[in-house]
Amino acid sequence: DTGVSQDPRHKITKRGQNVTFRCDPISEHNRLYWYRQTLGQGPEFLTYFQNEAQLEKSRLLSDRFSAERPKGSFSTLEIQRTEQGDSAMYLCASSQGRGSGGASRNEQFFGPGTRLTVL
Amino acid sequence: KQEVTQIPAALSVPEGENLVLNCSFTDSAIYNLQWFRQDPGKGLTSLLLIQSSQREQTSGRLNASLDKSSGRSTLYIAASQPGDSATYLCAFLKAAGNKLTFGGGTRVLVKP
């Protein structure tokens, strides 16, 4: 399977604990995105990487959230001191950059998501 | 202010009927617009992508149109099947941006 993968698929934690999620993008994609989706809503952008550089962060990404993409391949999203309001689906997506390889459309492909429940 | 609006929020149709899903956006300076399907508790599956220079895209029973001047996109699904039951989301990428901005989705139920 060459799609975007995420691990774990489900995480239940107690308030105040730290959690870390992993995303493996499609191998030839240099762009990686994190989104958060709450029940009944569309996904909201959190952050974006081009290769290993984190180029954009949403105001939704409080100082308890940190994301890394150390070698420009997989990425991790860590939430420290979790709160009940952090309960959501965390989605990762990847794409080829605009203009790369000729006719890139910058189409984003999503992984299956990590469902976080904070008790 | 809602940047992307999807109406209706929910839709129920008998099998075989054509589906028409609407997406309105406020920013005309878009790079592309994507339609996604999401099954309950799952990730997003990309259905169609329309570049800003295009008016429509087709894939099998799916057809999506784009009218930038009016800020609208429509997804048509012909001859609906129970397997088409899902939530459909539209999202646009700004011309000078990197993030997708999503609508709230339309939840579709196709009854056998």
Side-chain angles (χ1 to χ4, degrees):
Chain A
D1 184 49
T2 57
V4 178
S5 61
Q6 292 186 246
D7 184 71
R9 297 290 305 278
H10 303 274
K11 179 70 176 180
I12 299 174
T13 191
K14 292 182 179 179
R15 189 178 54 184
Q17 297 294 304
N18 300 342
V19 294
T20 301
F21 310 142
R22 176 178 169 127
C23 170
D24 286 89
I26 294 171
S27 58
E28 62 268 26
H29 286 180
N30 60 353
R31 296 183 169 204
L32 187 146
Y33 313 81
W34 285 98
Y35 293 84
R36 181 172 70 185
Q37 185 179 27
T38 53
L39 203 61
Q41 304 296 316
E44 294 176 293
F45 171 80
L46 291 178
T47 190
Y48 150 69
F49 290 85
Q50 181 162 323
N51 299 313
E52 65 276 8
Q54 187 174 20
L55 297 183
E56 189 172 350
K57 291 195 291 186
S58 163
R59 288 173 296 173
L60 293 175
L61 213 66
S62 75
D63 56 6
R64 296 185 298 106
F65 288 70
S66 63
E68 293 183 340
R69 194 182 183 198
K71 297 182 180 179
S73 56
F74 72 92
S75 175
T76 58
L77 178 68
E78 180 182 17
I79 308 175
Q80 296 182 326
R81 306 181 303 280
T82 53
E83 301 172 356
Q84 288 184 325
D86 297 331
S87 296
M89 174 79 90
Y90 290 84
L91 295 161
C92 176
S94 69
S95 73
Q96 283 186 317
R98 301 183 197 187
S100 63
S104 170
R105 307 182 304 165
N106 204 23
E107 183 173 7
Q108 294 189 21
F109 295 89
F110 282 75
T114 294
R115 167 75 64 191
L116 173 65
T117 301
V118 182
L119 301 176
Chain B
K1 180 182 174 183
Q2 243 345 25
E3 290 191 76
V4 185
T5 304
Q6 291 189 246
I7 294 173
L11 186 60
S12 179
V13 299
E15 181 177 3
E17 192 164 300
N18 296 333
L19 286 164
V20 180
L21 308 179
N22 298 301
C23 172
S24 300
F25 48 92
T26 55
D27 193 336
S28 62
I30 67 170
Y31 184 76
N32 64 38
L33 186 141
Q34 278 186 261
W35 280 95
F36 295 90
R37 168 186 173 136
Q38 186 173 34
D39 293 291
K42 306 292 185 182
L44 278 64
T45 300
S46 181
L47 297 174
L48 289 168
L49 180 147
I50 311 176
Q51 294 281 71
S52 62
S53 57
Q54 298 174 319
R55 296 299 299 268
E56 66 177 343
Q57 278 288 317
T58 298
S59 175
R61 295 184 295 113
L62 276 59
N63 174 277
S65 65
L66 175 65
D67 184 342
K68 285 196 307 177
S69 61
S70 65
R72 292 184 181 183
S73 178
T74 303
L75 178 66
Y76 301 89
I77 303 177
S80 62
Q81 304 168 358
D84 294 329
S85 298
T87 296
Y88 292 83
L89 295 147
C90 70
F92 73 84
L93 187 70
K94 290 185 180 181
N98 299 290
K99 64 180 182 182
L100 286 172
T101 301
F102 283 85
T106 294
R107 191 170 65 253
V108 171
L109 176 64
V110 181
K111 298 178 182 177

